[in-house]
Amino acid sequence: MVVGVALVSPAQEPWPTKPIRIIVGYPAGSSPDVQARLIAEPLARALGQSVVVENKPGASSNIGADAIAKAEDGHTIGVIGNGPLTSSKFLYAKLPYDPATDFAPIALIGTAPLVWVTAKPAAERSLASFISQLKADGDKQAYGSVGPGSGGHLGMELLKQALGIGPMHVPFNGGPPILNAIIGGQVQMSLLPASTVNPLVQSGKLEAVAVSSAKRTPLAPTLPSMEEIGAKGVNIEVWNAVMAPARMPAAHQARLSQELEKILGSREIRQKLFLQGWKVDDASAKGLAARIQQDTKTYRDIIVRNKIKID
């Protein structure tokens, strides 16, 4: 008979027992990278272990997402944008991971709508007259995006359907070339992050029409929402989230979620994110899971309807 040996359940085992690794599938300086580094220090304090951020960019962030999904050390998590979790499975013929089964939601870091921008008109115009002109022009006008399957591309296709307008899609390699093309008249509009368009809007070179969210946002409080301009059902926001491999023990997932929800609920972190152009909504794992489910349906419908594919 063995005496003096206490049985310890997995939930009671000390964890973490070594540094936590946060994989980011984007380059240094990108918004997911900045956010990962923002939460790393308070998370390290909460867990009593160091937290290391590791960048694995490439293949539209699918390399990083795959590394997170396949991590087996029990101490790896990642910061992922909404694309790999909601739209990539419908855009690519083959993915090395399954967004629906290979990840566990931990926390939603921040969300941000896109801004619908156009060239500054020579004369004043009402929103109603602008949309009426778009309807009349059909495909004579064009919009730019940072590439097929991007938030700006999918969002504009949804906006086209909601408003009954028909501008053609022109892909570009990044936001700055799109802005130059709008100013130069090669394309007439785009959906882009506020941080990208704000300098030109403030200088009077571009006009901000609306935000891509269903409701107004404190990030751009003067701009009307999609509902206000008559685009019912349009609610496009970009977001970044903390995900864990699905194989991570549930108790460890729960602890990470609990600590990150506290961190993201703090005034200091919320203010820092706000200044970077992000707002914290429901940061909980449950809220994130609901967001993934809803956005997956939205993007699937857009992609299938418009037969959008990435080779």
Side-chain angles (χ1 to χ4, degrees):
M1 181 176 68
V2 178
V3 180
V5 177
L7 296 178
V8 181
S9 70
Q12 295 172 318
E13 290 177 358
W15 185 89
T17 57
K18 61 182 180 179
I20 295 291
R21 180 175 61 148
I22 301 179
I23 292 178
V24 179
Y26 308 83
S30 62
S31 64
D33 174 73
V34 171
Q35 292 176 5
R37 296 178 192 280
L38 180 63
I39 64 174
E41 184 178 343
L43 184 60
R45 290 196 302 268
L47 296 177
Q49 283 283 353
S50 60
V51 176
V52 180
V53 177
E54 180 179 341
N55 298 91
K56 286 184 174 290
S60 299
S61 77
N62 287 323
I63 291 176
D66 186 48
I68 299 163
K70 291 182 170 56
E72 298 180 349
D73 62 356
H75 287 71
T76 293
I77 57 177
V79 172
I80 310 180
N82 55 296
L85 297 171
T86 60
S87 60
S88 288
K89 67 183 295 183
F90 310 111
L91 292 169
Y92 293 90
K94 191 173 183 180
L95 281 179
Y97 60 89
D98 186 340
T101 61
D102 289 346
F103 299 106
I106 301 298
L108 180 60
I109 300 175
T111 67
L114 301 174
V115 178
W116 186 11
V117 292
T118 71
K120 191 75 173 179
E124 289 293 324
R125 66 183 177 191
S126 68
L127 180 60
S129 64
F130 169 62
I131 294 175
S132 293
Q133 187 62 53
L134 283 177
K135 291 178 179 179
D137 286 346
D139 61 2
K140 293 178 182 178
Q141 297 199 38
Y143 73 91
S145 86
V146 296
S150 63
H153 178 205
L154 301 181
M156 187 60 77
E157 290 302 317
L158 187 59
L159 181 59
K160 285 168 58 176
Q161 178 189 351
L163 292 179
I165 59 178
M168 299 295 291
H169 177 221
V170 180
F172 287 82
N173 185 24
I178 298 174
L179 299 177
N180 291 333
I182 296 175
I183 293 171
Q186 287 79 43
V187 297
Q188 286 67 50
M189 66 197 72
S190 185
L191 278 176
L192 289 166
S195 58
T196 301
V197 304
N198 277 347
L200 290 174
V201 171
Q202 292 168 359
S203 68
K205 293 182 178 179
L206 293 179
E207 180 179 31
V209 179
V211 290
S212 63
S213 50
K215 304 294 184 182
R216 287 205 182 205
T217 173
L219 296 168
T222 63
L223 293 181
S225 67
M226 289 288 103
E227 284 190 2
E228 289 178 87
I229 69 170
K232 302 296 185 183
V234 178
N235 184 34
I236 297 295
E237 292 183 309
V238 293
W239 46 263
N240 295 316
V242 179
M243 305 293 287
R247 60 172 57 86
M248 178 179 279
H252 301 169
Q253 294 177 29
R255 184 174 180 198
L256 285 167
S257 296
Q258 181 182 42
E259 299 296 353
L260 283 168
E261 196 170 353
K262 291 177 186 176
I263 290 167
L264 293 165
S266 74
R267 183 186 298 272
E268 178 187 4
I269 296 296
R270 283 174 177 262
Q271 181 64 15
K272 287 181 177 179
L273 286 169
F274 187 84
L275 291 174
Q276 295 167 11
W278 300 85
K279 61 185 176 71
V280 179
D281 290 318
D282 182 355
S284 69
K286 183 178 180 180
L288 172 57
R291 187 65 181 255
I292 292 172
Q293 183 178 32
Q294 178 57 49
D295 283 7
T296 297
K297 180 182 184 305
T298 296
Y299 289 129
R300 180 192 63 211
D301 292 347
I302 300 169
I303 292 165
V304 171
R305 184 185 307 113
N306 293 281
K307 300 179 180 178
I308 302 169
K309 289 292 181 183
I310 298 177
D311 296 332

